[in-house]
Amino acid sequence: MRISIFGTGYVGLVTGACVADVGNDVVCVDIDAHKVERLNAGEIPIYEPGLEDIVSANRTRKTLRFTTDAANAIAHAQVIFIAVGTPPDEDGSADLSHVLTVARTIGQHLDRYAVIVNKSTVAVGTADRVREAIAIELAARAKNIEFDVVSNPEFLKEGDAVKDCLRPDRIVIGSNSARAIEQMKALYAPFNRNHERIVLMDVRSAELTKYAANAMLATKISFMNEMANIAERVGADIELVRHGIGSDPRIGYSFIYPGAGYGGSCFPKDVRALEHIARSHGYQARLLGMVEAVNDTQKEKLYELIARHFGGALAGKTIAVWGLAFKPNTDDMREASSRRLLEQLWAAGATVRAYDPEARDEARRIFGERGDLVLCADADMALDGADALVIVTEWKAFWSPDFARIKDRLRAPAIFDGRNIYDPHLVEAAGIAYYGIGRGRSLHK
């Protein structure tokens, strides 16, 4: 099939590469000429495991191309994906300006039937606005061309996006058009062979499904962080509690890990956007507000533990930080817990020596060059001259360190484990003070 995708960000690039990988002829469009030039030269602007290989392979096969020429891309396609950003507006709603700009561009150049697919995370009712924007442009050209608008939300996890795209849990298609549904089923047939993954519904239900999924996952995380804070106060270990409740199949083990708060491009933005959608329809979604409030408070937990350990005297201290990205296997630092922690440490007069396997360049872009931040080439280097160590991102490379070596390197040996990846007894047996999230003992040290 001939596919065009507007947007070469996270969703657009992964979707384009994976759809091309099964034999489709894919053109990805972006207004950023420099970005398109880099992509056509084989440079990938984001870190995502497997993405560089799949893009390279399909560029070589000439099934994947990048362009700034919207008109040719529209003329090329049977199916046109809109996968541009929907950043949060000042009121928390999703900013649809980029989506509607693409819709108007489609209307200005469409010359035959096509299926227009909303892949971006958009407010409920956006498909109607996209349809209207295209229709207005067609009317201005005095053209009577049929088209359908479909909602097909993405469910890609950063760090597993290529795998999620090639082997999806579900493929949600929102449409009432038999013609459009037939096209979408044909497109997704290679991803749907093992068992039926397509879930058909109306457009508005599909639009809400994406928000509901992310809000549910964010709710589970905030709930566990609430339980962790209770566990700390009553002397319980949240990790044992997690195993106890996760064994209940009605609850399960996924997304019940306490920690230093969620971040990234999706959960914070989507929870706030869904809350705004509810308000705009006269409903106060109180639970969503509390999910976000709990998460915001949880991002201060690591600093609270560090300040308590040092009696508030952090001026002149050097803190080693392992992990800057909001989660492993990505370089994305959007709303990452590390950003809050670093700002708090700096405000208290501390210096940070930080290491992340992939996010160093992103950290340098965000923070610039400053005397109280050293971005280190490896985890061991981050320990040089440090008083204590903080784990913010649970990269696999951090899971089994040499605690005796860490003790020898730290001036005031203490580990603040923001993801509960270490056994407190092993750490303390090595002569290092241990602070975790909801581990019961931390509050009483």
Side-chain angles (χ1 to χ4, degrees), residues 137-190:
E137 295 298 333
L138 288 173
R141 294 166 53 206
K143 297 287 187 179
N144 185 22
I145 299 171
E146 289 187 42
F147 65 94
D148 283 305
V149 179
V150 170
S151 176
N152 174 220
E154 55 84 15
F155 298 98
L156 306 179
K157 300 186 296 292
E158 291 195 41
D160 288 301
V162 173
K163 183 182 74 174
D164 288 346
C165 197
L166 292 173
R167 292 180 290 280
D169 296 320
R170 73 285 206 195
I171 303 165
V172 173
I173 298 173
S175 177
N176 294 319
S177 164
R179 186 178 184 183
I181 290 170
E182 182 181 358
Q183 289 264 50
M184 295 299 289
K185 283 185 172 181
L187 174 63
Y188 280 119

Side-chain angles (χ1 to χ4, degrees), residues 222 262 271 287-299:
S222 281
Y262 60 74
V271 170
L287 178 58
L288 297 179
M290 290 309 302
V291 167
E292 184 65 11
V294 167
N295 187 64
D296 191 60
T297 300
Q298 195 68 15
K299 288 183 177 181

Side-chain angles (χ1 to χ4, degrees), residues 222 251 270 272 305 329 376:
S222 281
I251 297 172
D270 291 353
R272 289 192 289 264
L305 294 173
N329 296 323
C376 300

Side-chain angles (χ1 to χ4, degrees), residues 250-299:
R250 296 171 300 174
I251 297 172
Y253 290 102
S254 297
F255 278 83
I256 59 169
Y257 291 90
Y262 60 74
S265 64
C266 293
F267 288 4
K269 172 176 72 74
D270 291 353
V271 170
R272 289 192 289 264
L274 184 54
E275 193 180 2
H276 179 271
I277 290 169
R279 281 199 310 272
S280 68
H281 288 79
Y283 181 72
Q284 190 70 28
R286 290 169 293 177
L287 178 58
L288 297 179
M290 290 309 302
V291 167
E292 184 65 11
V294 167
N295 187 64
D296 191 60
T297 300
Q298 195 68 15
K299 288 183 177 181

